[in-house]
Amino acid sequence: MLTVGDYVPDFTVQATSGKNVQLDALKGHQIVIYFYPKNNTPACIIENQDFAANYSRFRDQNTLIFGVSRDSLDSHESFKASQALPFELISDQDSALCTLFGVLKEKQLFNKPITTLARSTFLINHNGRLIKTWRDVSIKTHVHEVIDYVERYHTKITAALTTVQTPEID
């Protein structure tokens, strides 16, 4: 499982719109990857809509957004269209990304163990390093916490890159 400070290993996964998402090809951008349990469920609709409503704020911070669940690509295409999502959804039917990010958890349903996906979000910086995690999140405030953090982080990075120190002259 990845922890803050780790470089995220390169991966290539299938996403909506017939796209393959390769992490290394996205260097230079910050990446928000959020995991949600299932398309077309009330809480997941709210979370996806919140990310969509704040999409331009994320883009203004050079940040790409990807939603991930274990639903099929066909289910994702339908969900993306019905919700008018402006970003791609990644299908993780083999749970490879879920395992990498450590978002699978066991719980009991009718006295039988099941593996479910814990609602979680990860921020990867422009160099591919994991810099922030949000696990088992509340959908009511979560997206605003993420965008606020992204904006503060981007401002800090931009300031560091644009600060030019002039040498002192005696």
Side-chain angles (χ1 to χ4, degrees):
M1 179 171 73
L2 294 169
T3 59
V4 170
D6 290 347
Y7 282 97
V8 179
D10 187 31
F11 59 79
T12 302
V13 291
Q14 289 185 316
T16 49
S17 303
K19 295 183 180 177
N20 285 326
V21 175
Q22 181 185 13
L23 184 64
D24 279 355
L26 303 175
K27 286 197 175 159
H29 296 278
Q30 296 174 139
I31 311 294
V32 168
I33 297 180
Y34 69 96
F35 292 82
Y36 64 96
K38 188 138 184 72
N39 291 337
N40 297 308
T41 58
C44 294
I45 289 170
I46 291 168
E47 182 179 26
N48 277 278
Q49 284 297 307
D50 282 351
F51 273 108
N54 288 283
Y55 180 71
S56 64
R57 286 179 67 191
F58 282 104
R59 291 295 296 184
D60 288 347
Q61 305 306 312
N62 192 35
T63 303
L64 304 176
I65 302 171
F66 297 97
V68 181
S69 80
R70 297 185 300 171
D71 292 300
S72 70
L73 273 176
D74 287 342
S75 175
H76 275 337
E77 292 289 0
S78 175
F79 184 61
K80 180 182 174 191
S82 72
Q83 298 301 311
L85 301 177
F87 47 82
E88 305 306 330
L89 300 176
I90 294 170
S91 176
D92 191 32
Q93 289 188 286
D94 66 359
S95 299
L97 278 183
C98 291
T99 301
L100 176 65
F101 284 90
V103 298
L104 297 176
K105 68 180 184 179
E106 297 290 323
K107 59 190 238 190
Q108 295 288 320
L109 182 65
F110 303 114
N111 293 323
K112 293 186 179 189
I114 62 165
T115 302
T116 186
L117 195 154
R119 193 178 308 279
S120 305
T121 300
F122 302 86
L123 177 60
I124 302 168
N125 75 3
H126 61 284
N127 290 323
R129 182 174 276 187
L130 181 63
I131 60 169
K132 180 73 174 159
T133 64
W134 293 266
R135 293 185 179 273
D136 294 317
V137 301
S138 165
I139 59 165
K140 291 182 180 178
T141 59
H142 174 60
V143 172
H144 296 287
E145 292 169 4
V146 175
I147 188 59
D148 289 346
Y149 186 89
V150 166
E151 287 174 340
R152 285 191 316 272
Y153 179 78
H154 186 74
T155 298
K156 191 164 83 172
I157 293 300
T158 302
L161 292 174
T162 58
T163 301
V164 177
Q165 295 190 2
T166 54
E168 288 189 33
I169 300 174
D170 290 327

Short mmCIF file of all heavy atoms in Angstrom, two decimals, residues 120-160:
data_model
loop_
_atom_site.label_atom_id
_atom_site.label_comp_id
_atom_site.label_asym_id
_atom_site.label_seq_id
_atom_site.Cartn_x
_atom_site.Cartn_y
_atom_site.Cartn_z
N SER A 120 -12.08 6.89 -0.91
CA SER A 120 -10.77 7.49 -0.60
C SER A 120 -10.29 8.34 -1.77
O SER A 120 -10.66 8.08 -2.92
CB SER A 120 -9.73 6.40 -0.33
OG SER A 120 -10.15 5.52 0.68
N THR A 121 -9.45 9.32 -1.47
CA THR A 121 -8.90 10.21 -2.50
C THR A 121 -7.41 10.38 -2.28
O THR A 121 -6.95 10.44 -1.14
CB THR A 121 -9.61 11.58 -2.46
OG1 THR A 121 -11.00 11.38 -2.69
CG2 THR A 121 -9.06 12.53 -3.51
N PHE A 122 -6.68 10.51 -3.39
CA PHE A 122 -5.22 10.63 -3.35
C PHE A 122 -4.78 11.76 -4.27
O PHE A 122 -5.31 11.91 -5.36
CB PHE A 122 -4.57 9.32 -3.80
CG PHE A 122 -5.00 8.16 -2.94
CD1 PHE A 122 -6.16 7.46 -3.22
CD2 PHE A 122 -4.27 7.81 -1.82
CE1 PHE A 122 -6.59 6.43 -2.40
CE2 PHE A 122 -4.68 6.77 -1.00
CZ PHE A 122 -5.83 6.07 -1.29
N LEU A 123 -3.80 12.53 -3.80
CA LEU A 123 -3.23 13.60 -4.60
C LEU A 123 -1.79 13.25 -4.92
O LEU A 123 -0.97 13.02 -4.02
CB LEU A 123 -3.30 14.93 -3.85
CG LEU A 123 -2.67 16.15 -4.55
CD1 LEU A 123 -3.36 16.43 -5.88
CD2 LEU A 123 -2.73 17.37 -3.63
N ILE A 124 -1.49 13.21 -6.22
CA ILE A 124 -0.15 12.91 -6.72
C ILE A 124 0.39 14.21 -7.31
O ILE A 124 -0.28 14.87 -8.10
CB ILE A 124 -0.22 11.81 -7.79
CG1 ILE A 124 -0.86 10.55 -7.20
CG2 ILE A 124 1.18 11.51 -8.35
CD1 ILE A 124 -1.23 9.50 -8.25
N ASN A 125 1.62 14.56 -6.93
CA ASN A 125 2.17 15.82 -7.43
C ASN A 125 2.68 15.67 -8.87
O ASN A 125 2.65 14.58 -9.45
CB ASN A 125 3.23 16.40 -6.49
CG ASN A 125 4.56 15.69 -6.55
OD1 ASN A 125 4.79 14.77 -7.33
ND2 ASN A 125 5.48 16.12 -5.72
N HIS A 126 3.18 16.77 -9.42
CA HIS A 126 3.60 16.82 -10.82
C HIS A 126 4.78 15.91 -11.13
O HIS A 126 5.07 15.64 -12.29
CB HIS A 126 3.92 18.26 -11.21
CG HIS A 126 5.02 18.86 -10.41
ND1 HIS A 126 4.85 19.29 -9.11
CD2 HIS A 126 6.31 19.08 -10.71
CE1 HIS A 126 6.01 19.75 -8.65
NE2 HIS A 126 6.90 19.64 -9.60
N ASN A 127 5.48 15.41 -10.10
CA ASN A 127 6.60 14.49 -10.30
C ASN A 127 6.24 13.04 -10.04
O ASN A 127 7.11 12.18 -10.07
CB ASN A 127 7.77 14.87 -9.37
CG ASN A 127 8.42 16.15 -9.79
OD1 ASN A 127 8.56 16.44 -10.98
ND2 ASN A 127 8.82 16.97 -8.83
N GLY A 128 4.97 12.76 -9.73
CA GLY A 128 4.55 11.39 -9.51
C GLY A 128 4.64 10.92 -8.07
O GLY A 128 4.54 9.72 -7.80
N ARG A 129 4.79 11.85 -7.14
CA ARG A 129 4.88 11.49 -5.72
C ARG A 129 3.52 11.68 -5.05
O ARG A 129 2.85 12.68 -5.27
CB ARG A 129 5.92 12.36 -5.02
CG ARG A 129 6.10 12.00 -3.55
CD ARG A 129 7.22 12.78 -2.95
NE ARG A 129 8.44 12.05 -3.25
CZ ARG A 129 9.62 12.35 -2.77
NH1 ARG A 129 9.79 13.39 -1.99
NH2 ARG A 129 10.68 11.63 -3.08
N LEU A 130 3.14 10.72 -4.23
CA LEU A 130 1.91 10.81 -3.46
C LEU A 130 2.12 11.82 -2.33
O LEU A 130 3.01 11.64 -1.50
CB LEU A 130 1.53 9.44 -2.89
CG LEU A 130 0.24 9.38 -2.07
CD1 LEU A 130 -0.96 9.73 -2.93
CD2 LEU A 130 0.09 7.99 -1.46
N ILE A 131 1.33 12.90 -2.32
CA ILE A 131 1.56 13.95 -1.34
C ILE A 131 0.44 14.12 -0.32
O ILE A 131 0.63 14.77 0.71
CB ILE A 131 1.87 15.31 -2.01
CG1 ILE A 131 0.71 15.76 -2.89
CG2 ILE A 131 3.17 15.25 -2.78
CD1 ILE A 131 0.84 17.20 -3.37
N LYS A 132 -0.73 13.53 -0.59
CA LYS A 132 -1.83 13.66 0.37
C LYS A 132 -2.83 12.54 0.16
O LYS A 132 -3.09 12.14 -0.99
CB LYS A 132 -2.52 15.03 0.18
CG LYS A 132 -3.67 15.31 1.11
CD LYS A 132 -3.21 15.60 2.51
CE LYS A 132 -4.40 16.03 3.37
NZ LYS A 132 -4.18 15.86 4.77
N THR A 133 -3.37 12.02 1.27
CA THR A 133 -4.42 11.00 1.19
C THR A 133 -5.60 11.43 2.05
O THR A 133 -5.43 12.08 3.08
CB THR A 133 -3.91 9.63 1.68
OG1 THR A 133 -3.57 9.72 3.06
CG2 THR A 133 -2.72 9.15 0.88
N TRP A 134 -6.76 11.05 1.61
CA TRP A 134 -7.99 11.20 2.38
C TRP A 134 -8.65 9.83 2.34
O TRP A 134 -9.00 9.35 1.27
CB TRP A 134 -8.93 12.22 1.75
CG TRP A 134 -8.45 13.64 1.77
CD1 TRP A 134 -8.73 14.59 2.71
CD2 TRP A 134 -7.65 14.29 0.77
NE1 TRP A 134 -8.15 15.78 2.37
CE2 TRP A 134 -7.47 15.63 1.18
CE3 TRP A 134 -7.06 13.88 -0.43
CZ2 TRP A 134 -6.75 16.55 0.44
CZ3 TRP A 134 -6.33 14.79 -1.17
CH2 TRP A 134 -6.18 16.10 -0.73
N ARG A 135 -8.83 9.20 3.49
CA ARG A 135 -9.40 7.85 3.54
C ARG A 135 -10.73 7.85 4.30
O ARG A 135 -10.91 8.62 5.23
CB ARG A 135 -8.43 6.88 4.21
CG ARG A 135 -7.17 6.68 3.37
CD ARG A 135 -6.26 5.62 3.98
NE ARG A 135 -5.09 5.43 3.16
CZ ARG A 135 -5.01 4.59 2.13
NH1 ARG A 135 -6.05 3.86 1.79
NH2 ARG A 135 -3.91 4.48 1.43
N ASP A 136 -11.61 6.94 3.88
CA ASP A 136 -12.93 6.80 4.51
C ASP A 136 -13.60 8.16 4.69
O ASP A 136 -13.95 8.56 5.79
CB ASP A 136 -12.83 6.06 5.84
CG ASP A 136 -12.40 4.61 5.65
OD1 ASP A 136 -12.93 3.96 4.72
OD2 ASP A 136 -11.56 4.14 6.41
N VAL A 137 -13.76 8.87 3.61
CA VAL A 137 -14.18 10.27 3.64
C VAL A 137 -15.69 10.43 3.78
O VAL A 137 -16.47 9.54 3.45
CB VAL A 137 -13.70 11.01 2.38
CG1 VAL A 137 -12.19 10.96 2.26
CG2 VAL A 137 -14.34 10.45 1.13
N SER A 138 -16.07 11.60 4.24
CA SER A 138 -17.48 12.02 4.28
C SER A 138 -17.76 12.79 3.00
O SER A 138 -17.06 13.74 2.68
CB SER A 138 -17.71 12.92 5.49
OG SER A 138 -18.93 13.61 5.35
N ILE A 139 -18.81 12.41 2.29
CA ILE A 139 -19.07 13.07 1.01
C ILE A 139 -19.55 14.50 1.16
O ILE A 139 -19.47 15.28 0.22
CB ILE A 139 -20.08 12.28 0.15
CG1 ILE A 139 -21.40 12.12 0.88
CG2 ILE A 139 -19.50 10.96 -0.27
CD1 ILE A 139 -22.52 11.69 -0.02
N LYS A 140 -20.01 14.87 2.33
CA LYS A 140 -20.57 16.22 2.51
C LYS A 140 -19.52 17.31 2.38
O LYS A 140 -19.79 18.38 1.85
CB LYS A 140 -21.27 16.32 3.86
CG LYS A 140 -22.53 15.50 3.91
CD LYS A 140 -23.25 15.66 5.22
CE LYS A 140 -24.50 14.80 5.21
NZ LYS A 140 -25.21 14.87 6.45
N THR A 141 -18.32 17.09 2.89
CA THR A 141 -17.29 18.14 2.90
C THR A 141 -16.04 17.76 2.12
O THR A 141 -15.17 18.59 1.91
CB THR A 141 -16.86 18.46 4.34
OG1 THR A 141 -16.35 17.25 4.95
CG2 THR A 141 -18.04 18.98 5.16
N HIS A 142 -15.99 16.53 1.69
CA HIS A 142 -14.74 15.99 1.16
C HIS A 142 -14.17 16.75 -0.04
O HIS A 142 -13.00 17.14 -0.04
CB HIS A 142 -14.91 14.52 0.82
CG HIS A 142 -13.72 13.94 0.14
ND1 HIS A 142 -12.49 13.92 0.73
CD2 HIS A 142 -13.56 13.43 -1.09
CE1 HIS A 142 -11.63 13.39 -0.10
NE2 HIS A 142 -12.24 13.09 -1.21
N VAL A 143 -14.95 16.96 -1.07
CA VAL A 143 -14.43 17.58 -2.29
C VAL A 143 -13.90 18.98 -1.99
O VAL A 143 -12.87 19.38 -2.52
CB VAL A 143 -15.49 17.59 -3.41
CG1 VAL A 143 -15.02 18.40 -4.61
CG2 VAL A 143 -15.82 16.16 -3.83
N HIS A 144 -14.57 19.69 -1.11
CA HIS A 144 -14.10 21.04 -0.76
C HIS A 144 -12.78 20.98 0.01
O HIS A 144 -11.92 21.84 -0.18
CB HIS A 144 -15.18 21.79 0.02
CG HIS A 144 -16.40 22.02 -0.82
ND1 HIS A 144 -16.43 22.93 -1.85
CD2 HIS A 144 -17.61 21.41 -0.82
CE1 HIS A 144 -17.61 22.88 -2.45
NE2 HIS A 144 -18.33 21.97 -1.85
N GLU A 145 -12.59 19.96 0.83
CA GLU A 145 -11.31 19.78 1.51
C GLU A 145 -10.21 19.52 0.50
O GLU A 145 -9.10 20.06 0.61
CB GLU A 145 -11.39 18.62 2.50
CG GLU A 145 -12.28 18.88 3.70
CD GLU A 145 -12.55 17.62 4.52
OE1 GLU A 145 -11.99 16.55 4.21
OE2 GLU A 145 -13.35 17.72 5.47
N VAL A 146 -10.51 18.70 -0.50
CA VAL A 146 -9.51 18.37 -1.52
C VAL A 146 -9.15 19.61 -2.34
O VAL A 146 -7.96 19.92 -2.51
CB VAL A 146 -10.01 17.23 -2.44
CG1 VAL A 146 -9.02 16.98 -3.58
CG2 VAL A 146 -10.24 15.95 -1.65
N ILE A 147 -10.14 20.34 -2.85
CA ILE A 147 -9.83 21.51 -3.69
C ILE A 147 -9.12 22.58 -2.87
O ILE A 147 -8.20 23.23 -3.37
CB ILE A 147 -11.07 22.07 -4.42
CG1 ILE A 147 -10.67 23.15 -5.45
CG2 ILE A 147 -12.10 22.61 -3.48
CD1 ILE A 147 -9.72 22.72 -6.52
N ASP A 148 -9.51 22.78 -1.62
CA ASP A 148 -8.81 23.76 -0.78
C ASP A 148 -7.34 23.37 -0.61
O ASP A 148 -6.45 24.22 -0.71
CB ASP A 148 -9.48 23.90 0.59
CG ASP A 148 -10.83 24.59 0.52
OD1 ASP A 148 -11.14 25.20 -0.53
OD2 ASP A 148 -11.57 24.52 1.52
N TYR A 149 -7.07 22.10 -0.38
CA TYR A 149 -5.69 21.64 -0.23
C TYR A 149 -4.93 21.81 -1.55
O TYR A 149 -3.79 22.30 -1.56
CB TYR A 149 -5.65 20.17 0.20
CG TYR A 149 -4.25 19.70 0.49
CD1 TYR A 149 -3.71 19.83 1.77
CD2 TYR A 149 -3.44 19.17 -0.51
CE1 TYR A 149 -2.41 19.43 2.04
CE2 TYR A 149 -2.15 18.77 -0.25
CZ TYR A 149 -1.63 18.90 1.02
OH TYR A 149 -0.35 18.52 1.28
N VAL A 150 -5.54 21.43 -2.66
CA VAL A 150 -4.90 21.55 -3.97
C VAL A 150 -4.55 23.01 -4.26
O VAL A 150 -3.45 23.32 -4.72
CB VAL A 150 -5.79 20.95 -5.08
CG1 VAL A 150 -5.31 21.37 -6.46
CG2 VAL A 150 -5.83 19.43 -4.96
N GLU A 151 -5.47 23.91 -3.98
CA GLU A 151 -5.21 25.33 -4.22
C GLU A 151 -4.07 25.86 -3.35
O GLU A 151 -3.20 26.59 -3.83
CB GLU A 151 -6.48 26.15 -4.02
CG GLU A 151 -7.48 25.95 -5.14
CD GLU A 151 -8.81 26.63 -4.92
OE1 GLU A 151 -9.16 26.96 -3.76
OE2 GLU A 151 -9.53 26.82 -5.92
N ARG A 152 -4.05 25.48 -2.08
CA ARG A 152 -2.95 25.91 -1.21
C ARG A 152 -1.61 25.33 -1.67
O ARG A 152 -0.61 26.02 -1.74
CB ARG A 152 -3.21 25.50 0.25
CG ARG A 152 -4.25 26.35 0.96
CD ARG A 152 -4.29 26.10 2.46
NE ARG A 152 -4.25 24.71 2.87
CZ ARG A 152 -5.32 23.92 3.00
NH1 ARG A 152 -6.52 24.39 2.74
NH2 ARG A 152 -5.17 22.67 3.38
N TYR A 153 -1.61 24.06 -2.02
CA TYR A 153 -0.39 23.40 -2.47
C TYR A 153 0.11 24.01 -3.77
O TYR A 153 1.29 24.32 -3.92
CB TYR A 153 -0.64 21.89 -2.65
CG TYR A 153 0.58 21.15 -3.15
CD1 TYR A 153 1.60 20.81 -2.27
CD2 TYR A 153 0.70 20.79 -4.48
CE1 TYR A 153 2.72 20.14 -2.72
CE2 TYR A 153 1.83 20.11 -4.93
CZ TYR A 153 2.83 19.79 -4.05
OH TYR A 153 3.94 19.12 -4.50
N HIS A 154 -0.80 24.23 -4.73
CA HIS A 154 -0.41 24.79 -6.02
C HIS A 154 0.14 26.20 -5.85
O HIS A 154 1.14 26.57 -6.49
CB HIS A 154 -1.61 24.80 -6.98
CG HIS A 154 -1.25 25.25 -8.35
ND1 HIS A 154 -0.54 24.45 -9.22
CD2 HIS A 154 -1.48 26.41 -9.01
CE1 HIS A 154 -0.35 25.11 -10.36
NE2 HIS A 154 -0.92 26.29 -10.26
N THR A 155 -0.47 26.99 -4.98
CA THR A 155 0.02 28.35 -4.72
C THR A 155 1.43 28.30 -4.15
O THR A 155 2.30 29.07 -4.55
CB THR A 155 -0.93 29.08 -3.75
OG1 THR A 155 -2.20 29.18 -4.38
CG2 THR A 155 -0.42 30.47 -3.41
N LYS A 156 1.65 27.38 -3.22
CA LYS A 156 2.97 27.24 -2.61
C LYS A 156 4.02 26.82 -3.64
O LYS A 156 5.11 27.38 -3.70
CB LYS A 156 2.90 26.22 -1.46
CG LYS A 156 4.11 26.19 -0.58
CD LYS A 156 3.82 25.46 0.72
CE LYS A 156 3.94 23.98 0.55
NZ LYS A 156 3.86 23.23 1.81
N ILE A 157 3.69 25.85 -4.47
CA ILE A 157 4.62 25.37 -5.50
C ILE A 157 4.89 26.46 -6.52
O ILE A 157 6.04 26.69 -6.92
CB ILE A 157 4.07 24.10 -6.19
CG1 ILE A 157 4.03 22.94 -5.21
CG2 ILE A 157 4.85 23.75 -7.43
CD1 ILE A 157 5.38 22.56 -4.64
N THR A 158 3.85 27.15 -6.96
CA THR A 158 4.02 28.22 -7.95
C THR A 158 4.90 29.33 -7.39
O THR A 158 5.79 29.83 -8.09
CB THR A 158 2.65 28.79 -8.36
OG1 THR A 158 1.86 27.71 -8.89
CG2 THR A 158 2.79 29.87 -9.41
N ALA A 159 4.70 29.68 -6.14
CA ALA A 159 5.52 30.72 -5.51
C ALA A 159 6.98 30.29 -5.45
O ALA A 159 7.89 31.07 -5.72
CB ALA A 159 5.00 31.05 -4.12
N ALA A 160 7.20 29.02 -5.12
CA ALA A 160 8.57 28.51 -5.04
C ALA A 160 9.25 28.52 -6.40
O ALA A 160 10.45 28.81 -6.52
CB ALA A 160 8.59 27.11 -4.45
#
